[in-house]
Each structure stands twice: as structure tokens, then as C-alpha cells.
Amino acid sequence: AFFSKACLDAMALIRFIPDVIQCNDWQTAAVPVYLQAMYRQSFPNTRCMYTIHNIEYQGKADPVVIKRVKEAVCVPVVGNGDICSADDAVKMMEYTGCDGVMIGRGALGNPFIFEEIKCLLEGKSYTPPTISQKIATARKQVALMIEDKGEAVAICEARKHLAWYIK
């Protein structure tokens, strides 16, 4: 995930609270304001942040919801959904005003996306990985999967991961 300086400063002050507040009605900005007030009442000496992953049933993220939440609260907001390139990440941050982005499916078969985003945010040029680099990374991932899960499970799971690398 990539975060703005303000978000990183706030995160440095966060104490982990093993509670998750879920809400299925993000259609109004009043909901996150209510959650923020409820959270502060329950945990007055802590800071919090929201990670908003709003996907419609059609499978597309709705940045309007993330923007509304960011406008309604005074804590860091991390946007998530449909981040498949550095341009997607920057567009999400610019449109919504969110403090950072999280990448999920966009990193499948493309762990290089994080370097791509970092380069764009820092104004540096980015050189995409070569085929050889992609193959080496995929092989390393499979080796780590075997180490973690055992050969039988890892090889079965690796098939889908390898397919993502060649997309």
C-alpha cells in the first residue's frame, strides 16, 4: 500500500484494536461520521483510519463512495478497488482525496506494480520488468509457496498464479 506523508504520520500513532466495524450502507456520508463517533467513544485514546473497498455487484469499484467517506471524516482514508496500474492509483488518490491506496487483485502476477506506483509518485521513470525478470519472480514465488505449503498443495495453487504472470 502507498500512503501520503500525513497518512504515514497518523499511522505511526495508531494502536492496534482487534475490532472490525462493518457497514453495508455506505450510500450516505453520515454512516462513516457515525462510525467515527462510535469508535472514538469506545476507544478515546486511540486513532483510527478507514480502508474503503467498495465494489458494486458488477465488480467495479465506486470511487464516489470513497470520496464521500474522505470528505466526511477527519482520519486517514485508504482507497481500494480496481487498482491495476500506477495510473489507477494516482487517479484514485486525486479523485477521492484518499490518503493512500491498497492493491489487491492488481498485484496478482504483477508484484512489480508497487515499484511502478512508487516511481510515478516520486516522479521517477519506471522500466517494466523483462520477460526474464517475470519468469525469475514467478519461479521464486512458486519456490516460496512450496516451502510454505508443501509441494502437492503449492503446485496445484501455482497454476493460477503462473497464469496471472503471462496475462
Side-chain angles (χ1 to χ4, degrees):
F2 290 89
F3 302 99
S4 68
K5 171 89 170 79
C7 186
L8 290 174
D9 290 345
M11 288 172 63
L13 302 172
I14 294 172
R15 186 180 85 199
F16 176 73
I17 303 294
D19 291 322
V20 176
I21 300 172
Q22 289 185 329
C23 180
N24 294 324
D25 180 15
W26 290 104
Q27 298 306 310
T28 66
V31 173
V33 171
Y34 170 74
L35 289 178
Q36 184 175 328
M38 196 170 73
Y39 184 93
R40 285 201 173 144
Q41 206 171 30
S42 300
F43 307 104
N45 298 320
T46 63
R47 299 214 177 206
C48 68
M49 63 186 286
Y50 296 110
T51 300
I52 310 299
H53 180 79
N54 181 272
I55 297 289
E56 296 293 325
Y57 290 109
Q58 297 83 11
K60 297 297 279 175
D62 185 356
V64 173
V65 172
I66 297 167
K67 182 177 181 147
R68 289 170 116 187
V69 171
K70 177 61 185 167
E71 291 169 350
V73 299
C74 59
V75 296
V77 172
V78 178
N80 181 277
D82 295 335
I83 308 288
C84 297
S85 69
D87 288 335
D88 293 341
V90 170
K91 285 177 189 172
M92 169 77 79
M93 292 177 77
E94 287 176 350
Y95 177 76
T96 66
C98 65
D99 302 284
V101 295
M102 289 181 60
I103 295 103
R105 288 178 293 211
L108 296 174
N110 185 22
F112 317 100
I113 190 171
F114 303 100
E115 182 65 24
E116 180 188 5
I117 294 169
K118 181 180 176 195
C119 286
L120 184 59
L121 291 174
E122 293 176 353
K124 297 178 181 175
S125 64
Y126 172 72
T127 304
T130 64
I131 296 295
S132 297
Q133 290 170 318
K134 285 185 176 186
I135 291 169
T137 303
R139 290 180 74 178
K140 181 177 180 180
Q141 181 176 347
V142 172
L144 290 170
M145 289 172 71
I146 290 170
E147 184 180 308
D148 184 49
K149 300 178 179 206
E151 190 171 345
V153 173
I155 295 303
C156 285
E157 290 183 10
R159 292 181 294 193
K160 69 180 173 190
H161 292 275
L162 293 174
W164 288 321
Y165 276 93
I166 59 174
K167 261 178 51 175

